[in-house]
Amino acid sequence: MKRIAVFPGSFDPITTGHEDIVLRGAGLFDEVVVAIGVNTTKNYLFSLEQRMAFVEQTFAGHSNIRVTQYEGLTVEFCKSIGAKYILRGLRNSTDFEYESTIANMNKSISDGIETILLVTAPELSHVQSTVLREIYKNNGDISSFLPKGIQL
Ligand code: ADP
């Protein structure tokens, strides 16, 4: 059976940090599904169409990386596509606290879906969408933190 991992997030915008985790995940799983969560109550900087286009552009040419969007619980989305794994990245102890809680919760409310946490590449540990959004809103240049070819 195909080993499918879902990499969920809002990708507002996708960064070199996300790109690194997905590419490394693609070497570990048969397929990685990059899933853009649609949360109608959240205010995004980039529209869903833009976020989707940036993510698609980033992984174009990678035959085992697929990009899609979903609403609702991540574990329900995983079940709907036959994915038994969730892929996430860890930058620091704050990520660890958050990710371990969500991972255990997702495991308990599903059929044992496992979360696989990959440790960030040290040179990318400071790359964070939230911080990039602030820089961008204040007219700073964030292009070096985005996957190659992404034009905001
Ligand atoms: P969300 O989109 O869910 O608000 P993020 O954009 O912060 O969250 O991250 C989605 C996932 O990508 C999380 O698992 C996060 O830890 C991981 N991630 C984000 N940036 C990096 C990075 N620089 N290195 C490793 N993992 C990262």
Side-chain angles (χ1 to χ4, degrees):
M1 206 169 60
K2 235 173 140 185
R3 283 175 183 259
I4 305 171
V6 167
F7 185 64
S10 34
F11 307 103
D12 190 28
I14 182 165
T15 70
T16 46
H18 298 131
E19 180 186 27
D20 181 61
I21 298 292
V22 172
L23 293 177
R24 287 162 59 196
L28 299 170
F29 294 97
D30 295 321
E31 184 175 49
V32 173
V33 177
V34 183
I36 306 182
V38 179
N39 182 342
T40 44
T41 62
K42 218 166 153 179
N43 272 326
Y44 299 103
L45 180 62
F46 297 99
S47 69
L48 179 61
E49 291 68 29
Q50 282 174 306
R51 288 181 282 134
M52 188 86 185
F54 296 152
V55 179
E56 276 175 345
Q57 197 184 325
T58 302
F59 301 113
H62 290 270
S63 57
N64 71 336
I65 301 174
R66 195 155 67 79
V67 184
T68 188
Q69 44 181 277
Y70 74 104
E71 268 179 80
L73 290 178
T74 303
V75 291
E76 291 303 324
F77 171 69
C78 290
K79 271 188 224 163
S80 74
I81 63 163
K84 294 212 164 22
Y85 305 93
I86 294 173
L87 177 65
R88 297 284 286 179
L90 280 187
R91 285 163 292 200
N92 47 40
S93 54
T94 310
D95 273 358
F96 176 77
E97 296 292 333
Y98 178 74
E99 296 294 346
S100 55
T101 305
I102 299 290
N104 282 328
M105 190 52 90
N106 279 335
K107 193 171 183 178
S108 341
I109 63 170
S110 68
D111 233 358
I113 290 179
E114 293 282 4
T115 296
I116 308 297
L117 300 170
L118 293 185
V119 175
T120 183
E123 67 276 16
L124 299 174
S125 63
H126 60 297
V127 180
Q128 205 182 331
S129 292
T130 317
V131 177
L132 296 189
R133 285 198 294 278
E134 283 312 305
I135 300 172
Y136 182 75
K137 280 191 225 163
N138 289 287
N139 304 312
D141 179 12
I142 60 168
S143 54
S144 61
F145 306 106
L146 307 179
K148 273 200 184 62
I150 304 286
Q151 303 280 348
L152 298 181

